[in-house]
């Protein structure tokens, strides 16, 4: 790509973000808050302080795995919107299994097995949408969303009725003792899950852009009819896509539990799903770009959570900001398209 | 156990079915209009939530339920305008924009709730019911089905009206063409963009009205995320109804039953965690989808922006 092209690409990404922050500032003003104070606080807390930066990087672990899962699905033209159910169910089962496995296996083997279990749980929760899509062509947007609502409730049922830790008053799963959790990196609070997540998203990027399997998925996504004519095994690929996507998302739930919380409390639902989807779109399904956006968003989230306590702006504000970024991205893209068309017309 | 079968219980249950089903009916009918015209309106959840917030705020400020309903419908139309602008005019991806709008409305209404209502927690009084003459005197069924907010009857009247509109009017034909073969509609001199915009705005009005009913009549207050997936259920209803409004009504009642059971079982003294019961409506959707999967039909041009001259 020419330097001119990459500059335009950078602008196309930076502009929507800047515009969204500006529009968001107006909302803050209307609510009687100083936007400059808010933004400075959020970024100082989330990016430019050592503890904040560590939290941001730690937070990006589950987000990166979700992003990896979404990239696989979206590139194959499958709209897996069931992230939250897949994520939570995997987290709950993983947190129930891990303390038990620790007693049977060496630490690293137990952790690896827990991760695998989480991946399996995530994948299994995408089985029905995959089946309906592959067999009857039922729109997966609806089925994955419904399975997501189901999964969130089922996760709570499991915590309260099946995996409940009898020693605590608040319903939660048994706690994985700190020394058995995912190891920390060097002297930081960042856990090994970040490495797993980075490897996963890089691997996904490589597979989707450089391998025959990735090419097949992209053909299915870009033009299903062409894929059928090319003799690709459509239903097999559909199942593979769903399973891979949901397994990665399930692992996202696992690293959050094995690395940070050690347990799942009833009614815990970080609702990362609808938030990571826009990030993946902003990156145009590119794995490398997603890493940047996820880090940026994680910083916003960490800073925003802190700002909720300090400045009295609830963290809902971050939702609004993400939505504005998407809408401005749409506008910028449209204008870009328009000028390109005008240039060719002349 | 005997408490389950008393007349009062049955009345309360049936009453709950209608109250829970109406927002779904309005959302489902609204989504049906959009889908017919070829727009998959994922933003409907945001439209409902906007309606719920605006309806409640307006009703609280003016002490008039009807002004609240109007405000709710207008808020839904407002969100729908954005959807139409981005997806129909700009031809952007309908799923992305739908999600963006839903997220934005979730964030905005939760923020506003935090600053306006979180401390004082205002609520509206019980909304007055309108008893239909004669019918409401029937024991059990009367107070359960024929003693409701007038919006319920309007919602029900919409079913035959839309059925007629879809089947017998030029508007219905245009809508159908916009979803099945937009090129043909364009060739016959009718603007695809205008047809689809009209459809999306109607969806917004109905969804907003449904949301306003949820906050004003159903709950009497507004809480963040209060629509809780009702819009998404509306999408399922529209998908399974294959363009027939009456089927949306059946579906809405079916989901109304599972939603009403949630409260009824707890009132009846059953000690089941709420989470189990909350699964019912979604379990029902999946069951229906698995059983009737072969029969769910969506228009061919659904979700695709229309660009003249492009194949």
């Amino acid at each position: 790509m020419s330097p001119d092209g990459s500059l335009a690409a950078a602008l196309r990404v930076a502009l929507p973000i800047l515009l969204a922050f500006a529009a968001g500032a107006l909302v803050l003003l209307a609510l009687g808050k100083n936007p400059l104070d808010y933004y400075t606080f959020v970024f100082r807390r989330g990016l430019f302080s050592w503890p904040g930066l560590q939290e941001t990087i730690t937070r990006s672990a589950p987000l990166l795995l979700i992003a990896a899962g979404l990239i696989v699905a979206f590139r194959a033209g499958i709209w897996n919107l069931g992230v939250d159910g897949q994520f939570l169910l995997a987290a709950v089962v993983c947190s129930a299994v891990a303390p038990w496995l620790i007693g049977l296996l060496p630490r690293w083997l137990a952790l690896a097995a827990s991760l695998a279990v989480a991946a399996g749980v995530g994948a299994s929760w995408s089985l029905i949408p995959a089946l309906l899509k592959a067999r009857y062509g039922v729109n997966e947007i609806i089925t994955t969303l419904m399975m997501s609502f189901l999964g969130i409730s089922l996760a709570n049922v499991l915590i309260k009725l099946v995996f409940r830790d009898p020693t605590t008053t608040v319903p939660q799963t048994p706690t994985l003792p700190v020394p058995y959790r995912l190891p920390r990196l060097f002297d930081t609070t960042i856990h090994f899950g970040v490495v797993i997540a980075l490897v996963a998203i890089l691997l996904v990027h490589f597979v989707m852009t450089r391998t025959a399997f990735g090419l097949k998925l992209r053909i299915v996504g870009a033009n299903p009819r062409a894929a059928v004519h090319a003799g690709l095994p459509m239903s097999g690929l559909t199942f593979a896509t769903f399973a891979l996507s949901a397994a990665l998302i399930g692992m996202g739930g696992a690293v959050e539990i094995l690395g940070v919380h050690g347990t799942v409390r009833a009614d815990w639902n970080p609702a990362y799903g609808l938030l990571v989807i826009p990030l993946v779109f902003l990156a145009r399904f590119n794995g490398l770009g997603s890493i940047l956006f996820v880090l940026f968003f994680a910083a916003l989230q960490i800073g925003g959570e802190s700002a909720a306590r300090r400045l009295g702006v609830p963290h809902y504000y971050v939702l609004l900001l993400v939505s504005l970024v998407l809408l401005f991205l749409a506008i910028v893209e449209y204008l870009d398209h328009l000028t390109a068309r005008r240039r060719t017309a002349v | 156990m005997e408490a389950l079968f008393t007349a009062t219980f049955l009345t309360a249950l049936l009453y709950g079915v209608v109250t829970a089903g109406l927002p779904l009916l309005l959302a489902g009918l609204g989504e049906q209009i959009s889908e017919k015209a070829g727009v998959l309106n994922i933003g409907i959840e945001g439209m409902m939530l906007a309606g719920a917030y605006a309806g409640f705020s307006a009703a609280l400020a003016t002490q008039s339920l009807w002004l609240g309903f109007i405000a709710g419908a207008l808020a839904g139309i407002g969100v729908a305008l954005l959807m139409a602008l981005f997806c129909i005019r700009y031809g952007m991806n309908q799923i992305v924009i739908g999600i963006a709008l839903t997220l934005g409305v979730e964030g905005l209404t939760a923020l506003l709730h935090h600053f306006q209502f979180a401390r004082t927690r205002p609520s509206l009084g019980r909304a007055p019911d309108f008893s239909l003459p004669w019918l409401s005197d029937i024991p059990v069924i009367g107070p359960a089905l024929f003693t409701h907010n007038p919006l319920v009857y309007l919602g029900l009247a919409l079913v035959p009206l839309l059925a007629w509109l879809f089947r017998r009017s030029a508007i219905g034909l245009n809508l159908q063409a916009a979803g099945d073969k937009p090129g043909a509609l364009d060739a016959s001199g009718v603007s695809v963009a205008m047809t689809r915009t009209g459809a999306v705005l109607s969806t917004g009005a109905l969804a907003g009205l449904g949301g306003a009913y949820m906050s004003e009549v159903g709950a009497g207050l507004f809480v963040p995320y209060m629509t809780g997936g009702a819009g998404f259920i509306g999408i399922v209803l529209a998908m399974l109804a294959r363009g027939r409004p009456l089927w949306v009504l059946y579906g809405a009642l079916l989901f109304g039953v599972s939603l009403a059971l949630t409260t009824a079982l707890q009132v009846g003294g059953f000690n089941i965690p709420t989470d189990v019961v909350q699964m019912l409506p979604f379990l029902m959707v999946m069951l229906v989808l698995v059983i009737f999967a072969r029969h769910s039909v969506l228009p061919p041009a659904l979700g695709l922006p229309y660009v003249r001259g492009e194949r």
Side-chain angles (χ1 to χ4, degrees), chain A residues 136 142 153 160 281 314 316 323 331, chain B residues 96 100 104 114 235-236 275 279:
Chain A
Y136 306 119
I142 306 303
S153 295
K160 288 172 187 166
F281 264 102
Y316 304 124
S323 145
I331 296 179
Chain B
V96 185
H114 176 86
I235 300 177
V236 175
D275 307 286
M279 289 164 69

Side-chain angles (χ1 to χ4, degrees), chain A residues 31 33 79 81 128 132 136 138-139 141-143 145-147 149-150 153-154 156-157 160-161 274 277-278 281 312 314 316-317 319-320 323 326-327 330-331 333-334, chain B residues 40 42 86 90 92-93 95-97 99-100 103-104 107-108 110-111 114-115 225 229 232 235-236 239 273 275-276 278-279 282-283 285-286 289-290 293-294 296 298:
Chain A
L31 295 171
K33 302 283 172 186
W79 300 96
L81 302 190
I128 298 177
L132 287 174
Y136 306 119
V138 176
N139 193 319
I141 295 171
I142 306 303
T143 51
L145 265 175
M146 292 298 115
M147 289 303 278
F149 283 112
L150 259 181
S153 295
L154 183 63
N156 276 322
V157 172
K160 288 172 187 166
L161 297 183
L274 284 189
I277 292 169
F281 264 102
Y316 304 124
Y317 180 73
L319 279 186
L320 183 67
S323 145
L326 262 184
L327 294 181
I331 296 179
E333 200 157 281
Y334 175 73
Chain B
L40 181 65
I42 294 265
F86 283 109
Y90 294 176
M92 308 301 306
N93 186 309
I95 297 164
V96 185
I97 297 301
I99 290 176
L103 272 183
L108 191 63
L111 266 182
H114 176 86
F115 285 102
Y225 311 116
F232 295 130
I235 300 177
V236 175
M239 204 170 111
D275 307 286
V276 177
Q278 270 167 7
M279 289 164 69
F282 302 112
L283 210 58
V285 182
M286 287 315 296
L289 279 175
V290 170
R294 262 159 287 195
S296 68
L298 294 170

